[in-house]
Amino acid sequence: LETKKRLLKLFPNAKLGETYGMTESAATITTLDPDQVLRKMASVGKAFVTTQVRLVDDEDRDIPPGRVGEVISRGPNVMVGYYKDPEATAETLRGGWLHTGDLGRVDEEGFLYIVDRKKDMIITGGENIFPREIEEVLYAHPKILEAAVIGLPDPQWGERVHAVVVLKEGQQMTEEEVIDYCKANLASFKKPKSVEFVDLLPRSAAGKVLKRVLRDERT
């Protein structure tokens, strides 16, 4: 969301669209038309013309608009399967639908919003917390360059929210300042319980933050 805002500010005369997908769907599941970007800034659009999209619960039952569920898709763009991995294929293509592992919600107009990765969701004290929401708040802080939010084991709450933060060059912040900033911009139970400052976040060859590595290094 912050990236979209920066791009539109840098290139005010440009038209900005967005496509959501993954390798297993030939990188195309939904598309957001440039004419809708300003009105639906946080959305990834509607299903591509040849694609069907549903949001389902853990039992693959459809859920109503406004609720969060897993994004599943089918269409001619979806893969046949993983090479020599029938078990992973069966798990991902259950019932003929590609299970993306992404959590999302659909508004009343049918626009899809990606909430987070299903495996990254934090459950603390019985509450579901989506790290992406906290990360977007952190990225909006003028002193913060990058941030990743993960769940770490907690004997009382099951998991606790932990923020790993990279500051911009020459900037300084304390753990308390980051937590107070989050508390002012989020529901109190979503604020990080702890904050760690690092120089770099681990990334894959594709540039994605490796949250599994962050979790493994801290547990």
Side-chain angles (χ1 to χ4, degrees):
L1 184 57
E2 289 301 316
T3 300
K4 285 184 185 178
K5 291 178 180 178
R6 287 198 298 270
L7 283 171
L8 289 172
K9 186 176 181 179
L10 286 170
F11 306 103
N13 296 320
K15 287 192 173 183
L16 178 65
E18 183 168 358
T19 297
Y20 159 69
M22 54 199 306
T23 302
E24 291 87 342
S25 68
T28 304
I29 293 177
T30 67
T31 183
L32 181 64
D33 189 270
D35 294 336
Q36 299 290 343
V37 168
L38 292 178
R39 194 170 71 89
K40 299 286 184 178
M41 182 73 74
S43 173
V44 294
K46 294 184 177 182
F48 195 67
V49 63
T50 59
T51 304
Q52 292 177 275
V53 175
R54 294 166 54 205
L55 264 66
V56 298
D57 61 17
D58 289 339
E59 304 299 324
D60 285 352
R61 296 173 298 201
D62 290 304
I63 62 170
R67 287 185 54 191
V68 174
E70 183 177 5
V71 180
I72 65 174
S73 175
R74 71 179 179 186
N77 56 311
V78 171
M79 68 173 185
V80 174
Y82 294 112
Y83 182 63
K84 292 185 177 180
D85 197 340
E87 291 184 3
T89 297
E91 175 63 22
T92 303
L93 296 179
R94 296 194 307 275
W97 290 79
L98 171 66
H99 288 64
T100 66
D102 288 326
L103 294 173
R105 62 177 177 83
V106 173
D107 67 17
E108 295 293 342
E109 296 180 63
F111 285 86
L112 175 65
Y113 298 77
I114 300 301
V115 174
D116 219 320
R117 290 291 291 168
K118 190 174 182 179
K119 64 183 179 182
D120 290 335
M121 185 176 71
I122 301 168
I123 303 176
T124 180
E127 297 281 359
N128 293 342
I129 295 177
F130 304 110
R132 181 171 171 172
E133 180 183 3
I134 305 169
E135 289 163 357
E136 287 182 354
V137 168
L138 290 169
Y139 269 92
H141 194 287
K143 292 185 178 181
I144 293 175
L145 179 64
E146 294 182 312
V149 174
I150 57 175
L152 295 180
D154 186 275
Q156 181 177 359
W157 302 103
E159 288 184 294
R160 61 181 168 87
V161 179
H162 180 73
V164 184
V165 173
V166 179
L167 295 176
K168 293 179 180 178
E169 187 175 356
Q171 299 295 336
Q172 292 184 340
M173 290 186 78
T174 65
E175 179 181 51
E176 184 179 6
E177 286 176 326
V178 174
I179 293 174
D180 287 346
Y181 167 72
C182 289
K183 185 177 180 180
N185 291 278
L186 294 162
S188 183
F189 72 90
K190 296 179 181 180
K191 71 180 185 297
K193 295 288 193 301
S194 54
V195 178
E196 176 184 354
F197 298 98
V198 298
D199 294 328
L200 291 170
L201 295 176
R203 293 183 179 274
S204 68
K208 293 183 178 180
V209 175
L210 297 173
K211 291 192 175 182
R212 175 181 52 79
V213 173
L214 290 174
R215 284 190 292 265
D216 289 348
E217 290 177 345
R218 290 156 180 81
T219 54

